[in-house]
Amino acid sequence: MTNIRTTAIHAGRSHGQPGEPVAQSLTLASSFYTAPDIPIEFGQSAAEPLPFYTRWGNPTVRLLERRMAALEGAEDGLCFASGMGAIAALFLATLRSGDHLVISDVCYAGVAELVHDMLPPLGISVSRVDTSDLAAVKSAIRSNTRLVYAETPANPILKLADIAGLAEITSGAKIDLAIDSTLATPIATRPIALGSNFVVHSLTKYACGHGDTLGGIILGASQRLIEIRQSSLIHIGAAMHPFAAWLIERSLHTLPQRMAAHQHGALAVARFLSGHEKISRVLYPGFPSHPQHELAKAQMDNFSGMIAAQFMDGGMLAQRISQRVKLFAYAVSLGKSHSNIYYYPTEAIAQKSFHLSGAALAAYRDYAGDGIFRISVGLEDPDDLIADLNSALS
Ligand SMILES: *Cc1c(COP(=O)(O)O)cnc(C)c1O
């Protein structure tokens, strides 16, 4: 299946027999019939085990894994209860005491906090580098580096990383490369084809698209995912609930059309913001003014619905905007039909989440100033969203 719109609806399913449901059925069961001659290890280690226990795998979850794998051009996928569940599982499965991780200095705050607070006590050393700078990544590699992890576009400043360039560095050194592609989605970017070993997503965002459930996934080679299933899914237990999988699978049917609409709306809102007197900087990968617009054009088939904007006196305006917007929700999270806006003061996030100082802090300030509004443009009419922002700003 080569057309992504068809893949988004059909991949992973077989054509049914008379009497079978056309829509996906929801399998709510914690366990499944088995037999004494089916060894328990089979459920853990086979590529396609019989359903056995839902923490190990579930037919509804399995369909979502297959669908996402087809969209990403990956051999297989493994779902988790949340994006953080998937990312923590990836780190714990690929890194051991004595190993070294290279990671974006700016990425999803929860991931930045996880690698800062929880990996060093396990004996895993971490270098946080600007992954938009390939030379910086190259010089951070050590003999014990096992994983390079980058997020593109990176939350919340929409800085990009050159996936093919990173893969060139890691493949020669036999280091795994993992890309958090949550903001891009497989509609925009397919990191496996660019040389990445793993892709992770918070399915909570665009894949779910309606803001009503959490979910996460790791995609990559089957054999690697079998190992991760055994070590980090079955034993740590952050398994996805089948109802979450059912909601997200249903949402994937419209992912291509939704991403087109998110991009259309974001372009209009970004254009409005760029011309507004109270806005000092607009970062949108689809704009020529984005510092990495050329990379965005090469690596992204869709510029997504996320905008980062610096407002004059942003800290003072945040309170007013939060009270005056009527369509935008002043809230975290992103990628849903409902538009969101949220303010990230630089001082707080740079200290508490990213632990930036010196040149790294200056580089962050270059994008974010004293603070940045992260705007997730939903599926409302862009004219209405612009009117909403305009009245909140006036
Ligand atoms: C939200 C998010 C995560 C974490 O996902 P959860 O589903 O909230 O656990 C990780 N990476 C990115 C880029 C995100 O936006």
Side-chain angles (χ1 to χ4, degrees):
M1 246 175 275
T2 49
N3 188 316
I4 204 150
R5 281 168 54 181
T6 308
T7 305
I9 297 169
H10 288 271
R13 296 198 55 161
S14 47
H15 210 73
Q17 296 301 312
E20 288 179 2
V22 176
Q24 183 198 177
S25 48
L26 169 56
T27 304
L28 287 176
S30 53
S31 68
F32 299 83
Y33 289 104
T34 186
D37 59 347
I38 298 176
I40 207 162
E41 303 78 39
F42 177 72
Q44 303 188 346
S45 60
E48 207 62 68
L50 274 177
F52 180 79
Y53 187 58
T54 281
R55 175 156 44 78
W56 302 13
N58 170 285
T60 309
V61 178
R62 192 69 194 116
L63 177 60
L64 174 59
E65 291 170 343
R66 289 204 206 98
R67 181 76 45 77
M68 279 298 297
L71 287 169
E72 283 288 357
E75 239 174 70
D76 211 341
L78 191 63
C79 281
F80 291 82
S82 67
M84 286 303 296
I87 294 162
L90 176 74
F91 290 157
L92 290 174
T94 54
L95 299 165
R96 297 276 173 278
S97 177
D99 289 349
H100 175 238
L101 164 71
V102 173
I103 183 166
S104 311
D105 59 358
V106 174
C107 60
Y108 182 72
V111 175
E113 291 161 15
L114 166 72
V115 304
H116 181 271
D117 300 346
M118 298 188 69
L119 297 187
L122 298 175
I124 298 160
S125 54
V126 178
S127 295
R128 292 170 304 120
V129 304
D130 180 352
T131 45
S132 73
D133 178 352
L134 293 176
V137 173
K138 205 166 187 173
S139 65
I141 303 286
R142 304 178 191 159
S143 58
N144 59 341
T145 305
R146 291 284 165 272
L147 179 67
V148 171
Y149 178 96
E151 185 178 313
T152 182
N155 212 342
I157 55 174
L158 309 181
K159 212 175 201 182
L160 308 184
D162 175 351
I163 301 169
L166 290 173
E168 223 169 274
I169 297 171
T170 55
S171 63
K174 298 223 183 320
I175 297 166
D176 282 323
L177 175 63
I179 299 294
D180 182 338
S181 195
T182 298
L183 269 57
T185 81
I187 305 307
T189 306
R190 281 144 321 267
I192 299 281
L194 297 171
S196 187
N197 304 90
F198 295 108
V199 185
V200 297
H201 286 278
S202 167
L203 299 173
T204 310
K205 314 295 168 54
Y206 286 110
C208 167
H210 297 75
D212 48 15
T213 188
L214 303 180
I217 193 166
I218 308 174
L219 299 128
S222 307
Q223 193 49 46
R224 304 294 302 279
L225 294 177
I226 290 170
E227 290 159 22
I228 296 175
R229 183 166 74 215
Q230 279 186 286
S231 63
S232 297
L233 175 61
I234 294 177
H235 292 152
I236 297 175
M240 177 178 274
H241 192 281
F243 185 50
W246 186 89
L247 287 169
I248 297 168
E249 187 276 338
R250 180 186 215 258
S251 294
L252 287 184
H253 293 215
T254 55
L255 183 65
Q257 291 86 347
R258 285 189 286 112
M259 291 312 294
H262 283 297
Q263 169 179 256
H264 174 78
L267 270 168
V269 171
R271 218 171 275 131
F272 159 75
L273 292 172
S274 299
H276 198 282
E277 58 182 21
K278 292 206 174 98
I279 310 289
S280 50
R281 184 155 193 206
V282 176
L283 290 161
Y284 181 62
F287 268 9
S289 60
H290 189 284
Q292 297 159 293
H293 181 58
E294 289 308 313
L295 175 59
K297 280 196 293 186
Q299 190 170 280
M300 302 178 79
D301 293 338
N302 172 294
F303 297 121
S304 194
M306 301 302 301
I307 301 168
Q310 275 181 47
F311 291 28
M312 316 270 189
D313 297 321
M316 316 255 286
L317 265 181
Q319 185 67 19
R320 199 165 97 202
I321 288 175
S322 72
Q323 289 165 348
R324 292 176 74 172
V325 280
K326 297 202 163 55
L327 295 177
F328 280 89
Y330 188 81
V332 294
S333 201
L334 59 101
K336 41 191 166 179
S337 46
H338 196 139
S339 293
N340 270 27
I341 186 166
Y342 193 75
Y343 182 66
Y344 289 86
T346 294
E347 199 66 32
I349 195 168
Q351 266 183 25
K352 185 185 157 289
S353 300
F354 299 146
H355 304 276
L356 299 174
S357 59
L361 180 57
Y364 183 83
R365 278 194 178 279
D366 182 38
Y367 275 69
D370 290 337
I372 201 117
F373 283 85
R374 194 188 65 183
I375 300 171
S376 170
V377 178
L379 300 177
E380 303 92 337
D381 190 303
D383 289 343
D384 295 334
L385 294 176
I386 290 168
D388 195 37
L389 283 176
N390 201 25
S391 79
L393 281 166
S394 62

